[in-house]
Amino acid sequence: MILDDYRATWATQELDDLRGLARTFIAKEVVPNQERWAAAHMVDREFWRAAGRAGLLCISIPEEYGGGGATFAHEAVIAEEQARVGDDAWANMVHSTIVAHYINAFGTEEQKQRWLPGMASGDLVAAIAMTEPGTGSDLQSVRTRARRDGEDYVIDGAKTFISNGTHCDLLVIVARTGDDEGGKGLSLIVAETEGLAGFERGRVLDKIGQHGQDTRELFFSGMRVPAGNLLGAEGRGFAQLMQQLPQERLIIAVAGAAAATAAVRETIAYVKEREAFGQNLMSFQNTRFVLAECAADATAARSMVDGFIPRHMAGELDAASASMAKFFCTDVQNKVVDRCLQLFGGYGYMNEYPIARMFTSARVQKIYGGANEIMKELVARSF
């Protein structure tokens, strides 16, 4: 089939082997647990350690810090394999592709040695706390404050929509450490949450999709964090975020393109079996035309990210291009999944069918990592 014959230009035998490993691991450890995780609103804590033992955590972090010493392409392969089975519970992209790279890029040698090996093994689960009630994509409006008091920062504030909020042992907090308005007064501070006074996990958020992901509110009240947990220099937080956000947006785009492809693949299998008016759905011209268009859209999205991945690995992917990939691929994902669901008829509305979960999971892709409207503005500013 045309979708399965597609192979990225950056693919190698090593990446093919990783894809096989990830596919086997996900089939064994993820797929059988999806319904249970959705009911529990979190994956099993031990699952993180199993992923670590399989070598799937922090795969693009240097080996001296416990990682796999690999590249962003390896992260992309794992994300694609998650999307292939419609997995929306395991927030590995947050843990490995995002948080680990903040620590690797901006942490001191001591910080990297202290935190990254535990993240790679799954003994430590990481999250990042950017969004606040009332701020959304506007990071320059962050209100959480970190006041220096001797050898500590005292942090007060609230964050919301935090993936890995239940399990997180490490939390990178975007906080205001100075009096400057906008992005100039922001810093990144890592909280080690176990037994941390003043740290409170709020309610598990009731989302329309991604039910198996532990997304929570977090609260800080007089929470004392050692000043030595500052990432980089004080007041550099906004610049650090801007440096790392292109990778976050590109991995979202990768997942979006892969999810669109998975939806088409799932729908083709269904319409070949489902009958209406005495013939299978694939025999109707409308079905064939819709699926042809969806396959073209999914392939276009994959082609875009496949062109951008080598540029990113070479350090040549600019922020506007990453923003373009993010909004284009997630728009395609939502469009394709919606059209595919329609071909399932009433069954597409039933959660027992993967296409229904793909539909509800897709919607947030246009929101997190920077709303798609913001992405379009960032692209337009580059003209």
Side-chain angles (χ1 to χ4, degrees):
M1 186 171 67
I2 186 171
L3 294 175
D4 293 324
D5 290 340
Y6 182 97
R7 191 168 188 263
T9 56
W10 43 265
T12 63
Q13 185 59 53
E14 179 181 292
L15 290 168
D16 291 343
D17 292 342
L18 172 64
R19 189 178 299 280
L21 169 66
R23 187 170 298 181
T24 300
F25 176 83
I26 289 169
K28 178 182 178 182
E29 302 290 347
V30 174
V31 174
N33 294 310
Q34 285 177 308
E35 291 186 13
R36 185 171 58 82
W37 288 348
H41 299 293
M42 63 179 179
V43 304
D44 301 327
R45 185 63 181 80
E46 179 55 32
F47 172 77
W48 283 98
R49 297 185 179 91
R53 290 192 294 272
L56 298 178
L57 300 181
C58 300
I59 198 168
S60 60
I61 291 299
E63 292 181 85
E64 58 262 38
Y65 305 122
T71 69
F72 178 85
H74 294 73
E75 301 282 6
V77 164
I78 297 170
E80 288 175 342
E81 289 305 308
Q82 279 188 261
R84 183 182 179 88
V85 300
D87 174 50
D88 58 9
W90 179 31
N92 180 50
M93 292 193 302
V94 172
H95 176 91
S96 296
T97 318
I98 298 173
V99 178
H101 282 271
Y102 277 99
I103 294 171
N104 186 57
F106 307 119
T108 64
E109 183 66 20
E110 187 276 332
Q111 288 172 335
K112 290 188 278 192
Q113 293 286 357
R114 177 154 46 114
W115 294 323
L116 289 174
M119 290 179 63
S121 68
D123 291 322
L124 298 176
V125 176
I128 185 164
M130 297 187 199
T131 306
E132 298 180 358
T135 63
S137 298
D138 184 10
L139 293 174
Q140 297 190 56
S141 297
V142 163
R143 297 180 180 179
T144 294
R145 290 206 166 266
R147 173 178 55 85
R148 186 68 182 264
D149 182 27
E151 296 302 310
D152 296 327
Y153 284 106
V154 179
I155 303 177
D156 293 280
K159 300 288 183 177
T160 193
F161 309 139
I162 308 304
S163 300
N164 292 335
T166 297
H167 287 315
C168 67
D169 308 287
L170 296 177
L171 181 66
V172 177
I173 301 170
V174 181
R176 193 165 294 284
T177 51
D179 295 328
D180 292 327
E181 295 298 322
K184 294 181 179 179
L186 299 180
S187 300
L188 304 184
I189 302 170
V190 180
E192 297 161 289
T193 64
E194 184 177 1
L196 181 59
F199 172 72
E200 181 184 353
R201 302 179 203 265
R203 64 191 174 103
V204 176
L205 299 174
D206 185 15
K207 311 184 296 294
I208 65 171
Q210 299 190 346
H211 293 149
Q213 194 175 118
D214 55 334
T215 311
R216 299 186 84 124
E217 297 172 321
L218 300 178
F219 300 99
F220 321 125
S221 180
M223 185 178 78
R224 302 186 77 91
V225 175
N229 284 17
L230 176 72
L231 280 184
E234 193 172 281
R236 293 290 300 162
F238 190 75
Q240 292 166 332
L241 290 166
M242 292 304 101
Q243 181 176 326
Q244 291 296 312
L245 278 171
Q247 173 153 305
E248 176 179 347
R249 288 164 180 165
L250 184 58
I251 198 66
I252 292 171
V254 169
T261 303
V264 178
R265 187 183 293 112
E266 186 79 18
T267 307
I268 289 171
Y270 177 80
V271 299
K272 285 182 176 180
E273 298 294 329
R274 179 69 175 172
E275 291 195 355
F277 305 105
Q279 52 189 319
N280 67 46
L281 293 180
M282 183 60 96
S283 66
F284 292 98
Q285 185 183 69
N286 178 69
T287 302
R288 298 196 303 272
F289 281 13
V290 166
L291 286 173
E293 291 166 359
C294 287
D297 285 339
T299 301
R302 291 173 76 183
S303 297
M304 174 178 277
V305 296
D306 289 345
F308 285 177
I309 285 171
R311 287 173 56 189
H312 178 56
M313 291 192 294
E316 298 170 355
L317 184 67
D318 60 285
S321 295
S323 299
M324 181 186 299
K326 195 270 180 182
F327 85 70
F328 180 81
C329 292
T330 58
D331 279 350
V332 165
Q333 176 187 2
N334 277 265
K335 172 187 172 184
V336 166
V337 173
D338 179 68
R339 298 189 76 190
C340 286
L341 186 149
Q342 187 72 18
L343 294 176
F344 279 75
Y347 291 105
Y349 203 62
M350 301 296 108
N351 275 326
E352 64 190 89
Y353 282 80
I355 195 68
R357 298 193 296 273
M358 290 180 181
F359 178 80
T360 55
S361 296
R363 190 59 185 83
V364 74
Q365 288 268 95
K366 296 167 65 173
I367 299 172
Y368 59 25
N372 281 8
E373 292 77 11
I374 302 296
M375 298 301 96
K376 294 169 186 178
E377 178 65 22
L378 294 174
V379 171
R381 288 179 184 177
S382 70
F383 297 160

